[in-house]
Amino acid sequence: MAFAIHELLRESAEKNPDSLAVLGPKESLTYAELDAQSDMLARHLVLGGVTPGTPVGIAMHKCLASIVGVYGILKAGACYVPIDAFAPAQRSAAIVANTELRFLLTTTDRVATLATEIKNCDDGTSLEQIFVPEPLKPGIVVPSGTTYTVWNQALDAEDLEAALPAVTDTHLAYVLHTSGSTGAPKGVAITHRNALCFIESAAQYWQVTADDRLCSQAPLHFDLSVFDLYVAALAGASIVLIPEFYAAFPKKMASAIDGQGITIWNSVVSTLTLMMQRGKPEAASFQSLRSVIFSGEVMPVRYLRSLHEHMQNAAFFNVYGQTEANSSLVYAVDRDAIPDGDDWKVPLGTTLPNFDVFVVMPDGTEATDVGARGELLVRANTVAAGYWGNPTLTSEKFVVDPRPQHQESRAPVYRTGDVAYVGEDGNYYFGGRTDDMIKSRGYRIELGEIDLALLSCDGVESAAAIAIPDDDVGNRIVAFATVSSESELDAAAILSHCRERLAKYMLPEELYLEDDLPRTSTNKIDRKVLRDLATERQEKRG
């Protein structure tokens, strides 16, 4: 039994060294090659000053080097901190500041601009050393105060033979940053034990074998990537890297399934619905697919029918979970049980192996009746260690199991903030949010973070981001703002300001400038009125 994620790679490399571990658009790596290259990186990291528990950033587009990167970091005893390759510099710098990153892995084409942008932000000054897979091109200079190391360069015999640090299942494996209501991203700290509990459950549930090919469509900063990378490693299967830009070209995604013989597809709902809308699915066979896993949003039943029509050999699974506790519920779709109407709600499902999920009523008691609504809590070894550097929020969201019969165990549970209930069929169903967090295109987004970005623009006096439910992407984001009478700001200028602070998926699709925003009796912005107004305007526009 493995006690650290990277041991899964070592075991598969020993059993099947020549089997393909990673397939890229132009190159590939066997398990032996991936194991050896990540060993080399791990030794460079240790020589560079990385010690067990050290957070190491990784800012790369999906490529072979990025997979080498995460394993090399883990083998060095460190935890990897993925940074969205498309994120604005200020957001990247906020992640650097939150985890006090001193070490960063990136590619040679981004090393100068990325490091300079981060270090020029007030929050990014901790960065000291950069690791790249290849030598820098002539003329590229890293920022002052920052050194760089080429991790593929040869080491002397003594360094090659030196033992790598011991890693236990309690060490942190990675820190994934999600949207934060305070305006700063929240770093969810995951241990090897947390990750392995999910990896082993998922590999067992979906019966993954060495013959499978798993798509790797999710970026490293998205928790779906944990399934792709490490379930494949456990089984000795192959992962097929789907470049990020394929998301804008659904026909390329559809053709990749056939061209690469992908057997297991795992993505957010909107990726699949876009493939059905614009990917010309009738031109693809999808014969290799045996399992299609989707999550992040509600799957509109009309698209589920379309998927079933075009992917005849595949079984479909709706998965529910959070970065803080990983996937805990799954619903295996019965092809013959999908209703004819379009108003059917796909269930969240029942628990995966080794998970305990329950609903707590507003009075703190556990819901026992069918249809009783309350907050969904998750108890499992997958529950994260907490939020990096934020003990207050950690104590709010990670609590001792509140059920009287379980309190002596002091087992931690995660408060999801989701309202749920159990239906007559025994499945859990989603019933809304207890706060203002929403999901759009599979991403969890705090509307408050968008509010703060809007308000940070000089001249904006008040602002509010609103979520409009949408069958295709989960929610569309619309914003309202007022500006001072002296300001010459327009909507385009405010949105340009936000692009420097927010990830692309968080940007409002529309921004309406108003003379004033509606208020409640307690002088709070009346978001319900704004939501109705936004819906009305969108309906008029068609």
Side-chain angles (χ1 to χ4, degrees):
M1 173 186 287
F3 292 95
I5 297 173
H6 52 275
E7 291 177 5
L8 302 176
L9 169 61
R10 288 209 189 282
E11 291 173 359
S12 286
E14 290 173 0
K15 293 176 184 176
N16 301 294
D18 298 326
S19 295
L20 287 176
V22 188
L23 291 85
K26 297 180 180 179
E27 301 175 289
S28 61
L29 287 174
T30 65
Y31 270 99
E33 291 169 336
L34 178 57
D35 191 39
Q37 290 188 25
S38 55
D39 269 353
M40 179 72 76
L41 169 58
R43 296 181 190 283
H44 276 293
L45 290 170
V46 171
L47 289 171
V50 172
T51 57
T54 302
V56 178
I58 179 166
M60 292 184 176
H61 294 287
K62 188 68 71 69
C63 60
L64 298 183
S66 68
I67 310 304
V68 173
V70 295
Y71 278 113
I73 294 169
L74 293 171
K75 288 180 176 181
C79 62
Y80 67 90
V81 183
I83 298 174
D84 184 358
F86 296 101
Q90 189 159 339
R91 184 174 176 83
S92 299
I95 293 173
V96 170
N98 182 49
T99 47
E100 298 180 334
L101 285 180
R102 296 166 50 213
F103 307 96
L104 177 71
L105 272 59
T106 190
T107 49
T108 54
D109 60 335
R110 303 191 69 222
V111 61
T113 55
L114 176 69
T116 300
E117 288 173 352
I118 290 175
K119 290 201 67 114
N120 284 345
C121 293
D122 292 339
D123 292 337
T125 55
S126 65
L127 194 61
E128 296 176 3
Q129 191 166 355
I130 296 172
F131 294 82
V132 292
E134 300 169 347
L136 299 187
K137 296 177 181 178
I140 295 179
V141 180
V142 298
S144 175
T146 304
T147 60
Y148 82 93
T149 297
V150 180
W151 80 60
N152 282 329
Q153 66 186 8
L155 293 170
D156 60 36
E158 183 179 352
D159 291 330
L160 280 173
E161 294 173 1
L164 291 171
V167 180
T168 73
D169 60 352
T170 59
H171 277 91
L172 290 185
Y174 51 86
V175 179
L176 302 184
H177 283 79
T178 65
S179 177
S181 59
T182 63
K186 297 180 298 186
V188 182
I190 306 291
T191 67
H192 285 267
R193 180 191 298 169
N194 296 152
L196 283 168
C197 181
F198 167 71
I199 293 162
E200 292 166 357
S201 293
Q204 174 186 340
Y205 184 87
W206 279 282
Q207 299 180 350
V208 183
T209 72
D211 294 328
D212 279 309
R213 287 192 171 189
L214 285 69
C215 75
S216 181
Q217 188 267 339
L220 293 175
H221 66 274
F222 202 172
D223 59 352
L224 268 64
S225 64
V226 173
F227 176 95
D228 309 335
L229 269 62
Y230 307 125
V231 170
L234 173 61
S238 305
I239 59 171
V240 178
L241 301 183
I242 307 294
E244 291 100 330
F245 74 88
Y246 275 28
F249 300 94
K251 285 190 288 186
K252 287 184 176 292
M253 286 193 290
S255 63
I257 293 174
D258 286 346
Q260 296 288 2
I262 291 171
T263 61
I264 299 177
W265 178 272
N266 178 36
S267 76
V268 295
V269 167
S270 55
T271 299
L272 286 168
T273 58
L274 189 63
M275 198 187 301
M276 292 299 101
Q277 289 174 317
R278 304 175 193 171
K280 292 190 176 180
E282 66 278 0
S285 71
F286 301 116
Q287 288 297 307
S288 61
L289 277 178
R290 69 174 184 86
S291 293
V292 174
I293 305 165
F294 52 85
S295 58
E297 305 126 339
V298 175
M299 170 65 80
V301 67
R302 65 180 183 275
Y303 292 121
L304 189 54
R305 292 195 197 94
S306 181
L307 288 164
H308 278 177
E309 176 187 350
H310 294 290
M311 301 174 177
Q312 292 290 322
N313 297 335
F316 292 82
F317 303 88
N318 181 35
V319 171
Y320 165 87
Q322 308 79 24
T323 303
E324 291 88 344
N326 225 307
S327 301
S328 53
L329 296 172
V330 61
Y331 177 74
V333 180
D334 184 345
R335 285 178 177 266
D336 300 324
I338 301 175
D340 293 331
D342 286 347
D343 57 351
W344 180 60
K345 181 185 289 187
V346 180
L348 298 180
T350 55
T351 55
L352 276 164
N354 297 320
F355 282 87
D356 181 14
V357 174
F358 57 99
V359 171
V360 171
M361 304 294 286
D363 63 2
T365 61
E366 183 179 5
T368 56
D369 297 333
V370 170
R373 294 175 178 244
E375 184 179 9
L376 195 69
L377 276 67
V378 180
R379 173 176 170 169
N381 279 333
T382 61
V383 172
Y387 295 110
W388 183 285
N390 195 333
T392 300
L393 186 60
T394 297
S395 64
E396 291 175 3
K397 301 294 287 185
F398 298 88
V399 299
V400 173
D401 193 326
R403 296 170 294 182
Q405 67 272 31
H406 295 291
Q407 286 188 343
E408 283 192 12
S409 69
R410 304 292 297 173
V413 300
Y414 173 64
R415 298 180 55 197
T416 67
D418 286 338
V419 175
Y421 61 93
V422 177
E424 296 283 353
D425 57 2
N427 285 299
Y428 282 90
Y429 285 83
F430 181 68
R433 286 289 300 171
T434 62
D435 52 27
D436 68 344
M437 182 179 284
I438 57 109
K439 280 193 174 182
S440 179
R441 295 177 173 84
Y443 290 95
R444 296 171 62 206
I445 300 169
E446 288 273 6
L447 293 176
E449 186 172 359
I450 303 174
D451 292 349
L452 289 170
L454 291 164
L455 291 168
S456 70
C457 183
D458 188 24
V460 172
E461 293 185 327
S462 60
I466 304 297
I468 308 298
D470 181 273
D471 286 345
D472 293 338
V473 300
N475 286 281
R476 296 191 180 277
I477 301 170
V478 176
F480 292 84
T482 64
V483 299
S484 64
S485 56
E486 301 82 15
S487 175
E488 296 181 359
L489 279 175
D490 59 12
I494 298 171
L495 289 175
S496 177
H497 171 86
C498 290
R499 285 190 189 95
E500 298 176 0
R501 289 155 177 79
L502 298 173
K504 185 177 180 180
Y505 58 83
M506 299 173 68
L507 288 172
E509 295 185 14
E510 295 284 345
L511 173 60
Y512 299 108
L513 296 184
E514 307 290 334
D515 292 332
D516 199 7
L517 300 185
R519 302 276 175 170
T520 66
S521 58
T522 58
N523 204 35
K524 294 181 179 179
I525 294 175
D526 195 330
R527 295 177 182 270
K528 182 181 184 305
V529 172
L530 289 179
R531 189 176 297 110
D532 293 342
L533 181 59
T535 302
E536 179 184 338
R537 289 180 180 177
Q538 290 202 335
E539 289 175 349
K540 286 182 179 179
R541 292 178 55 187

